[in-house]
Amino acid sequence: MKEAECLSLSLQGERVSHWPVLGTRVWIPDCLEVWKSAELTRGYEEGDSFLHLRLEDGSESTFPLNPQCPQLPFLRNPDYLSGENDLVALSYLHEPAVLHTLRARFLETNTIYTYCGIILLAINPYKQLPIYEEPVIYAYSGQNMGDMDPHIFAVAEDAYKQMSRNNKNQSLIISGESGAGKTASAKYAMRYFALVGGSLGDSSMEEKVLASSPIMEAFGNAKTTRNDNSSRFGKYVEICFSHEYHIVGAAMKTYLLEKSRLTFQAKAERNYHIFYQLCASATLPEFQGLGLGGAESFHYTNQGHCTHLEATDDAADLESTRNAFSLLGVPESSQLELFSLLASILHLGNVRLRAKDRHGESCFAEPGDEALGLFCTLLGVEQSQVSRWLCYRKLVTATETYVKPMSRQQALNSRDALAKHIYGLLFKWIVSRINKALRASCRQQASIGILDIYGFETFTVNSFEQFCINYANEKLQQHFNLHVFKLEQEEYMKEEIPWTFIDFYDNQPCIDLIEARLGILDLLNEECKMPKGSDASWAQKLYDKHLHHSPHFQKPKMSTEAFIVHHFAGKVEYQCSGFLEKNQDTVHAELIGLLRASKVSPRPCRQGRCLAADCKEEGGRQVSPETGLFLSTQDRLAERTPASPCQLLVDTAHLFPVHLPFSCSPVQLDELRIPDSINLTFLTRV
């Protein structure tokens, strides 16, 4: 190794042109503050084993070096660049410089936005700031990006300007870790487009577009340990404009609703907001027949022991949700039917199932169970049939049909699967009604898309949902790296522009671990097909196949039913328990038949069909125990876009080239993730 190459700045890969001298300011790692600023008290000489430093508090310290190949610390930028509003203007662009700049802007000037070239970084202040009112929107309207302070409105204005000037579709991508403020940023961008793209008159299309937000938040958002209003689904909203560039309509597409939250919440977490809104409004006259009570009285809403939020008025939020439904043309009668179905889900969760014997091989539902009676009344199904098929299932062979009793745990799983199935259909129906109300009234000329997806997640207990989200983020990060680094650098080389190649992390081995043949997903789907497949058996197959064979796979020391994946953003330990059940997402055909036989009329309908009647069509995937969630998701995407790589979240058949990626993340630049098959050839190095 050459000496000049050896003396490179750690993590940067940039060669130093001279030895650090007395007074040079650097950044050194710190276990508490992550990075600390220090100043050299003695110049570096070749062969030194230590750098002698003085910290900002005046204390002396040393920084160890390997004399054979010393990794010098990061250099600090001059003071006049402190608080710079665009990171690419820094003399040295590396992790400590980025964190220091964001910290200085946030703490010293109360500024949450910072540019990084065409990317906008945002820090969530966790409080309301007076920077989103209409006068601020008008101040940014018509301005060029860079003429004013960094702001989400500046990004939105540039997208709107590019669309109107060049008649080209635009997209904003909002990404970041859980709690970074992605949902709020998407709402601010939609509000900007609504104001500059037309008047906000009563019942206008612009107001309808904004009205979709409280509905989707009520049915798709929930409190987590990191965020009181966390989106538990991904969405892509396409806002359509006329030839005069006024809003004429919109369309929404959703991805990967976290249905497991419906039946289980970890400590200090909540179910979806709509259930607490209903319980808080239980005394309303129109809700008297629903059998509602406090959220603490329902199994599906009390598991997290967090039924009330100090800063949230659930009753007032329900009123906002109902007003939004009315604005979108959903009649009061349909709303009440919808709330009735939601109440039936709550009662289903309270149905008690008891084991018949100490072996627990069979169970029964008590005939006088009040919750069971309310569930059957609200859905209009026979209580005797529900009691039977919650505890039994049919096994059909080539010649005979058997009725097999289920254990209490199997019956509870079946009950929860039915609840998740009903809620999944309700969610799809709501999205379809919103799209119907937002359908373009005339021919659209162009559009601006807003992609709001969940970022990388890691919690104390990580399961199937976190695995899905993190797998998707691996795919998105890969394509971001491909377009931003590899393709751009190839373009520079092609044009013979002097350029030092940037060595970037390639996460293809991690993706192969997940999706390649005999990878994690392949083994999971195979295990789901086994008659006696189990989470423990699947975990053992993972160990046999990947332990000591893949550097991205690891087995926890103290567990035999968990595994660790080394993702691009860090290591995550996943608990295998529940993976098979969630991947199968099985609802027994007998329960589906009961829903189809429901006597409640009218019922919320989707495209002219009753909700319960859609169960067989929409639930075909669930009825079949041989079909896994990932397999069916990939198959559907492959059918629509056979030339594109399969991915989990984004259906690329209708996405447009991205204009301005917007990354909403507190501190991490690498949180920006771009969907598969989006054209990023416009990206250039500033």
Side-chain angles (χ1 to χ4, degrees), residues 466-494:
Q466 283 69 48
F467 183 80
C468 293
I469 291 171
N470 294 341
Y471 164 51
N473 278 288
E474 284 285 356
K475 296 286 287 185
L476 300 180
Q477 182 70 17
Q478 180 193 46
H479 286 279
F480 172 70
N481 290 342
L482 174 67
H483 287 284
V484 172
F485 292 107
K486 185 177 180 180
L487 298 183
E488 278 301 310
Q489 292 186 111
E490 288 179 355
E491 187 68 22
Y492 272 63
M493 297 298 294
K494 181 180 179 181

mmCIF file of all heavy atoms in Angstrom, residues 466-494:
data_model
loop_
_atom_site.group_PDB
_atom_site.id
_atom_site.type_symbol
_atom_site.label_atom_id
_atom_site.label_comp_id
_atom_site.label_asym_id
_atom_site.label_seq_id
_atom_site.Cartn_x
_atom_site.Cartn_y
_atom_site.Cartn_z
ATOM 1 N N GLN A 466 -41.638 -5.454 11.025
ATOM 2 C CA GLN A 466 -40.364 -4.752 10.885
ATOM 3 C C GLN A 466 -39.504 -5.392 9.797
ATOM 4 O O GLN A 466 -38.791 -4.695 9.066
ATOM 5 C CB GLN A 466 -39.605 -4.752 12.220
ATOM 6 C CG GLN A 466 -40.131 -3.764 13.237
ATOM 7 C CD GLN A 466 -41.508 -4.139 13.765
ATOM 8 O OE1 GLN A 466 -41.727 -5.298 14.143
ATOM 9 N NE2 GLN A 466 -42.419 -3.199 13.789
ATOM 10 N N PHE A 467 -39.595 -6.723 9.669
ATOM 11 C CA PHE A 467 -38.838 -7.398 8.620
ATOM 12 C C PHE A 467 -39.306 -6.936 7.243
ATOM 13 O O PHE A 467 -38.487 -6.675 6.354
ATOM 14 C CB PHE A 467 -38.990 -8.909 8.765
ATOM 15 C CG PHE A 467 -38.190 -9.696 7.766
ATOM 16 C CD1 PHE A 467 -36.837 -9.914 7.962
ATOM 17 C CD2 PHE A 467 -38.782 -10.218 6.631
ATOM 18 C CE1 PHE A 467 -36.088 -10.630 7.037
ATOM 19 C CE2 PHE A 467 -38.048 -10.935 5.703
ATOM 20 C CZ PHE A 467 -36.696 -11.142 5.913
ATOM 21 N N CYS A 468 -40.621 -6.831 7.048
ATOM 22 C CA CYS A 468 -41.168 -6.357 5.770
ATOM 23 C C CYS A 468 -40.649 -4.958 5.455
ATOM 24 O O CYS A 468 -40.183 -4.675 4.336
ATOM 25 C CB CYS A 468 -42.697 -6.326 5.823
ATOM 26 S SG CYS A 468 -43.501 -7.921 5.949
ATOM 27 N N ILE A 469 -40.767 -4.067 6.438
ATOM 28 C CA ILE A 469 -40.382 -2.671 6.229
ATOM 29 C C ILE A 469 -38.887 -2.557 5.937
ATOM 30 O O ILE A 469 -38.467 -1.842 5.011
ATOM 31 C CB ILE A 469 -40.767 -1.839 7.470
ATOM 32 C CG1 ILE A 469 -42.294 -1.741 7.571
ATOM 33 C CG2 ILE A 469 -40.146 -0.457 7.420
ATOM 34 C CD1 ILE A 469 -42.785 -1.138 8.876
ATOM 35 N N ASN A 470 -38.077 -3.260 6.696
ATOM 36 C CA ASN A 470 -36.632 -3.149 6.520
ATOM 37 C C ASN A 470 -36.164 -3.811 5.232
ATOM 38 O O ASN A 470 -35.194 -3.353 4.606
ATOM 39 C CB ASN A 470 -35.917 -3.754 7.731
ATOM 40 C CG ASN A 470 -36.175 -2.966 8.996
ATOM 41 O OD1 ASN A 470 -36.575 -1.807 8.938
ATOM 42 N ND2 ASN A 470 -35.963 -3.585 10.143
ATOM 43 N N TYR A 471 -36.842 -4.868 4.818
ATOM 44 C CA TYR A 471 -36.536 -5.486 3.522
ATOM 45 C C TYR A 471 -36.812 -4.505 2.392
ATOM 46 O O TYR A 471 -35.996 -4.323 1.477
ATOM 47 C CB TYR A 471 -37.346 -6.770 3.346
ATOM 48 C CG TYR A 471 -37.420 -7.289 1.928
ATOM 49 C CD1 TYR A 471 -36.274 -7.474 1.164
ATOM 50 C CD2 TYR A 471 -38.646 -7.601 1.351
ATOM 51 C CE1 TYR A 471 -36.342 -7.957 -0.128
ATOM 52 C CE2 TYR A 471 -38.732 -8.089 0.063
ATOM 53 C CZ TYR A 471 -37.578 -8.267 -0.675
ATOM 54 O OH TYR A 471 -37.657 -8.733 -1.962
ATOM 55 N N ALA A 472 -37.959 -3.832 2.466
ATOM 56 C CA ALA A 472 -38.292 -2.838 1.447
ATOM 57 C C ALA A 472 -37.257 -1.723 1.425
ATOM 58 O O ALA A 472 -36.834 -1.261 0.357
ATOM 59 C CB ALA A 472 -39.677 -2.264 1.723
ATOM 60 N N ASN A 473 -36.823 -1.294 2.592
ATOM 61 C CA ASN A 473 -35.833 -0.226 2.649
ATOM 62 C C ASN A 473 -34.479 -0.662 2.114
ATOM 63 O O ASN A 473 -33.737 0.153 1.560
ATOM 64 C CB ASN A 473 -35.706 0.273 4.092
ATOM 65 C CG ASN A 473 -36.782 1.269 4.446
ATOM 66 O OD1 ASN A 473 -36.768 2.401 3.983
ATOM 67 N ND2 ASN A 473 -37.746 0.853 5.243
ATOM 68 N N GLU A 474 -34.146 -1.930 2.269
ATOM 69 C CA GLU A 474 -32.923 -2.438 1.653
ATOM 70 C C GLU A 474 -32.991 -2.295 0.135
ATOM 71 O O GLU A 474 -32.031 -1.870 -0.511
ATOM 72 C CB GLU A 474 -32.711 -3.915 2.022
ATOM 73 C CG GLU A 474 -32.212 -4.169 3.428
ATOM 74 C CD GLU A 474 -30.739 -3.846 3.627
ATOM 75 O OE1 GLU A 474 -30.054 -3.484 2.643
ATOM 76 O OE2 GLU A 474 -30.279 -3.942 4.773
ATOM 77 N N LYS A 475 -34.146 -2.636 -0.435
ATOM 78 C CA LYS A 475 -34.314 -2.528 -1.883
ATOM 79 C C LYS A 475 -34.240 -1.069 -2.330
ATOM 80 O O LYS A 475 -33.597 -0.743 -3.335
ATOM 81 C CB LYS A 475 -35.655 -3.135 -2.291
ATOM 82 C CG LYS A 475 -35.788 -4.612 -2.039
ATOM 83 C CD LYS A 475 -34.983 -5.429 -3.043
ATOM 84 C CE LYS A 475 -35.598 -5.435 -4.417
ATOM 85 N NZ LYS A 475 -34.873 -6.332 -5.346
ATOM 86 N N LEU A 476 -34.890 -0.198 -1.587
ATOM 87 C CA LEU A 476 -34.895 1.206 -1.963
ATOM 88 C C LEU A 476 -33.506 1.818 -1.822
ATOM 89 O O LEU A 476 -33.081 2.618 -2.665
ATOM 90 C CB LEU A 476 -35.895 1.966 -1.088
ATOM 91 C CG LEU A 476 -37.345 1.493 -1.166
ATOM 92 C CD1 LEU A 476 -38.233 2.331 -0.263
ATOM 93 C CD2 LEU A 476 -37.848 1.522 -2.585
ATOM 94 N N GLN A 477 -32.797 1.459 -0.770
ATOM 95 C CA GLN A 477 -31.449 1.977 -0.576
ATOM 96 C C GLN A 477 -30.522 1.501 -1.687
ATOM 97 O O GLN A 477 -29.657 2.256 -2.157
ATOM 98 C CB GLN A 477 -30.915 1.526 0.780
ATOM 99 C CG GLN A 477 -29.523 2.050 1.110
ATOM 100 C CD GLN A 477 -29.501 3.535 1.375
ATOM 101 O OE1 GLN A 477 -30.537 4.129 1.625
ATOM 102 N NE2 GLN A 477 -28.327 4.136 1.313
ATOM 103 N N GLN A 478 -30.710 0.280 -2.131
ATOM 104 C CA GLN A 478 -29.875 -0.245 -3.202
ATOM 105 C C GLN A 478 -30.036 0.562 -4.480
ATOM 106 O O GLN A 478 -29.054 0.922 -5.146
ATOM 107 C CB GLN A 478 -30.216 -1.711 -3.469
ATOM 108 C CG GLN A 478 -29.371 -2.332 -4.573
ATOM 109 C CD GLN A 478 -29.917 -3.665 -5.040
ATOM 110 O OE1 GLN A 478 -31.115 -3.805 -5.269
ATOM 111 N NE2 GLN A 478 -29.041 -4.646 -5.161
ATOM 112 N N HIS A 479 -31.275 0.879 -4.810
ATOM 113 C CA HIS A 479 -31.511 1.631 -6.040
ATOM 114 C C HIS A 479 -31.061 3.079 -5.905
ATOM 115 O O HIS A 479 -30.631 3.692 -6.880
ATOM 116 C CB HIS A 479 -32.982 1.547 -6.433
ATOM 117 C CG HIS A 479 -33.347 0.211 -6.990
ATOM 118 N ND1 HIS A 479 -33.099 -0.152 -8.288
ATOM 119 C CD2 HIS A 479 -33.894 -0.882 -6.405
ATOM 120 C CE1 HIS A 479 -33.491 -1.391 -8.491
ATOM 121 N NE2 HIS A 479 -33.981 -1.863 -7.355
ATOM 122 N N PHE A 480 -31.142 3.620 -4.695
ATOM 123 C CA PHE A 480 -30.601 4.960 -4.481
ATOM 124 C C PHE A 480 -29.093 4.956 -4.715
ATOM 125 O O PHE A 480 -28.549 5.821 -5.418
ATOM 126 C CB PHE A 480 -30.915 5.421 -3.062
ATOM 127 C CG PHE A 480 -30.234 6.710 -2.688
ATOM 128 C CD1 PHE A 480 -30.628 7.907 -3.258
ATOM 129 C CD2 PHE A 480 -29.196 6.720 -1.776
ATOM 130 C CE1 PHE A 480 -30.004 9.093 -2.919
ATOM 131 C CE2 PHE A 480 -28.562 7.895 -1.434
ATOM 132 C CZ PHE A 480 -28.965 9.087 -2.010
ATOM 133 N N ASN A 481 -28.403 3.968 -4.139
ATOM 134 C CA ASN A 481 -26.964 3.868 -4.348
ATOM 135 C C ASN A 481 -26.635 3.689 -5.821
ATOM 136 O O ASN A 481 -25.707 4.305 -6.348
ATOM 137 C CB ASN A 481 -26.395 2.688 -3.557
ATOM 138 C CG ASN A 481 -26.413 2.922 -2.064
ATOM 139 O OD1 ASN A 481 -26.539 4.045 -1.605
ATOM 140 N ND2 ASN A 481 -26.304 1.847 -1.286
ATOM 141 N N LEU A 482 -27.402 2.847 -6.488
ATOM 142 C CA LEU A 482 -27.146 2.557 -7.895
ATOM 143 C C LEU A 482 -27.240 3.812 -8.738
ATOM 144 O O LEU A 482 -26.357 4.123 -9.534
ATOM 145 C CB LEU A 482 -28.142 1.501 -8.396
ATOM 146 C CG LEU A 482 -28.086 1.201 -9.906
ATOM 147 C CD1 LEU A 482 -26.769 0.530 -10.257
ATOM 148 C CD2 LEU A 482 -29.258 0.312 -10.306
ATOM 149 N N HIS A 483 -28.320 4.578 -8.554
ATOM 150 C CA HIS A 483 -28.548 5.752 -9.394
ATOM 151 C C HIS A 483 -27.658 6.927 -9.001
ATOM 152 O O HIS A 483 -27.087 7.586 -9.859
ATOM 153 C CB HIS A 483 -30.018 6.166 -9.315
ATOM 154 C CG HIS A 483 -30.939 5.248 -10.032
ATOM 155 N ND1 HIS A 483 -31.056 5.244 -11.400
ATOM 156 C CD2 HIS A 483 -31.776 4.289 -9.585
ATOM 157 C CE1 HIS A 483 -31.938 4.326 -11.763
ATOM 158 N NE2 HIS A 483 -32.391 3.733 -10.676
ATOM 159 N N VAL A 484 -27.541 7.181 -7.710
ATOM 160 C CA VAL A 484 -26.828 8.377 -7.276
ATOM 161 C C VAL A 484 -25.316 8.208 -7.412
ATOM 162 O O VAL A 484 -24.629 9.124 -7.836
ATOM 163 C CB VAL A 484 -27.193 8.719 -5.820
ATOM 164 C CG1 VAL A 484 -26.323 9.848 -5.291
ATOM 165 C CG2 VAL A 484 -28.656 9.119 -5.743
ATOM 166 N N PHE A 485 -24.794 7.041 -7.081
ATOM 167 C CA PHE A 485 -23.354 6.857 -7.081
ATOM 168 C C PHE A 485 -22.846 6.192 -8.366
ATOM 169 O O PHE A 485 -22.091 6.791 -9.124
ATOM 170 C CB PHE A 485 -22.934 6.027 -5.868
ATOM 171 C CG PHE A 485 -23.136 6.736 -4.568
ATOM 172 C CD1 PHE A 485 -24.162 6.365 -3.713
ATOM 173 C CD2 PHE A 485 -22.315 7.775 -4.189
ATOM 174 C CE1 PHE A 485 -24.352 7.016 -2.513
ATOM 175 C CE2 PHE A 485 -22.503 8.437 -2.984
ATOM 176 C CZ PHE A 485 -23.520 8.056 -2.151
ATOM 177 N N LYS A 486 -23.297 4.977 -8.596
ATOM 178 C CA LYS A 486 -22.727 4.207 -9.693
ATOM 179 C C LYS A 486 -22.993 4.841 -11.053
ATOM 180 O O LYS A 486 -22.066 5.109 -11.830
ATOM 181 C CB LYS A 486 -23.278 2.786 -9.661
ATOM 182 C CG LYS A 486 -22.648 1.874 -10.703
ATOM 183 C CD LYS A 486 -23.187 0.455 -10.568
ATOM 184 C CE LYS A 486 -22.560 -0.459 -11.622
ATOM 185 N NZ LYS A 486 -23.079 -1.849 -11.506
ATOM 186 N N LEU A 487 -24.266 5.109 -11.369
ATOM 187 C CA LEU A 487 -24.588 5.630 -12.690
ATOM 188 C C LEU A 487 -24.035 7.034 -12.907
ATOM 189 O O LEU A 487 -23.558 7.360 -14.002
ATOM 190 C CB LEU A 487 -26.111 5.621 -12.889
ATOM 191 C CG LEU A 487 -26.767 4.236 -12.850
ATOM 192 C CD1 LEU A 487 -28.258 4.352 -13.129
ATOM 193 C CD2 LEU A 487 -26.112 3.307 -13.868
ATOM 194 N N GLU A 488 -24.089 7.875 -11.880
ATOM 195 C CA GLU A 488 -23.573 9.235 -12.024
ATOM 196 C C GLU A 488 -22.063 9.233 -12.234
ATOM 197 O O GLU A 488 -21.538 9.986 -13.062
ATOM 198 C CB GLU A 488 -23.931 10.067 -10.793
ATOM 199 C CG GLU A 488 -25.335 10.630 -10.820
ATOM 200 C CD GLU A 488 -25.570 11.527 -12.026
ATOM 201 O OE1 GLU A 488 -24.754 12.435 -12.275
ATOM 202 O OE2 GLU A 488 -26.565 11.299 -12.724
ATOM 203 N N GLN A 489 -21.368 8.373 -11.491
ATOM 204 C CA GLN A 489 -19.921 8.331 -11.640
ATOM 205 C C GLN A 489 -19.530 7.764 -13.002
ATOM 206 O O GLN A 489 -18.536 8.189 -13.597
ATOM 207 C CB GLN A 489 -19.320 7.518 -10.497
ATOM 208 C CG GLN A 489 -19.479 8.220 -9.154
ATOM 209 C CD GLN A 489 -18.777 7.507 -8.022
ATOM 210 O OE1 GLN A 489 -17.802 8.004 -7.490
ATOM 211 N NE2 GLN A 489 -19.278 6.333 -7.648
ATOM 212 N N GLU A 490 -20.304 6.830 -13.512
ATOM 213 C CA GLU A 490 -20.049 6.321 -14.854
ATOM 214 C C GLU A 490 -20.250 7.411 -15.894
ATOM 215 O O GLU A 490 -19.516 7.489 -16.886
ATOM 216 C CB GLU A 490 -20.968 5.132 -15.139
ATOM 217 C CG GLU A 490 -20.596 3.873 -14.376
ATOM 218 C CD GLU A 490 -21.534 2.725 -14.669
ATOM 219 O OE1 GLU A 490 -22.539 2.949 -15.391
ATOM 220 O OE2 GLU A 490 -21.282 1.608 -14.173
ATOM 221 N N GLU A 491 -21.231 8.286 -15.661
ATOM 222 C CA GLU A 491 -21.469 9.395 -16.580
ATOM 223 C C GLU A 491 -20.286 10.367 -16.558
ATOM 224 O O GLU A 491 -19.866 10.874 -17.599
ATOM 225 C CB GLU A 491 -22.761 10.120 -16.198
ATOM 226 C CG GLU A 491 -23.198 11.184 -17.180
ATOM 227 C CD GLU A 491 -23.649 10.601 -18.519
ATOM 228 O OE1 GLU A 491 -24.009 9.410 -18.565
ATOM 229 O OE2 GLU A 491 -23.625 11.348 -19.517
ATOM 230 N N TYR A 492 -19.733 10.621 -15.378
ATOM 231 C CA TYR A 492 -18.575 11.508 -15.281
ATOM 232 C C TYR A 492 -17.377 10.913 -16.023
ATOM 233 O O TYR A 492 -16.646 11.620 -16.727
ATOM 234 C CB TYR A 492 -18.219 11.737 -13.811
ATOM 235 C CG TYR A 492 -18.950 12.902 -13.185
ATOM 236 C CD1 TYR A 492 -20.336 12.899 -13.075
ATOM 237 C CD2 TYR A 492 -18.262 14.012 -12.709
ATOM 238 C CE1 TYR A 492 -21.019 13.953 -12.505
ATOM 239 C CE2 TYR A 492 -18.932 15.085 -12.135
ATOM 240 C CZ TYR A 492 -20.313 15.044 -12.032
ATOM 241 O OH TYR A 492 -20.978 16.100 -11.472
ATOM 242 N N MET A 493 -17.177 9.621 -15.860
ATOM 243 C CA MET A 493 -16.065 8.971 -16.544
ATOM 244 C C MET A 493 -16.273 8.975 -18.050
ATOM 245 O O MET A 493 -15.327 9.167 -18.820
ATOM 246 C CB MET A 493 -15.911 7.540 -16.027
ATOM 247 C CG MET A 493 -15.570 7.447 -14.538
ATOM 248 S SD MET A 493 -13.989 8.237 -14.137
ATOM 249 C CE MET A 493 -12.863 7.154 -15.011
ATOM 250 N N LYS A 494 -17.517 8.783 -18.465
ATOM 251 C CA LYS A 494 -17.826 8.778 -19.895
ATOM 252 C C LYS A 494 -17.518 10.122 -20.531
ATOM 253 O O LYS A 494 -17.032 10.196 -21.674
ATOM 254 C CB LYS A 494 -19.304 8.412 -20.098
ATOM 255 C CG LYS A 494 -19.749 8.360 -21.546
ATOM 256 C CD LYS A 494 -21.220 7.981 -21.624
ATOM 257 C CE LYS A 494 -21.692 7.955 -23.081
ATOM 258 N NZ LYS A 494 -23.143 7.615 -23.174
#
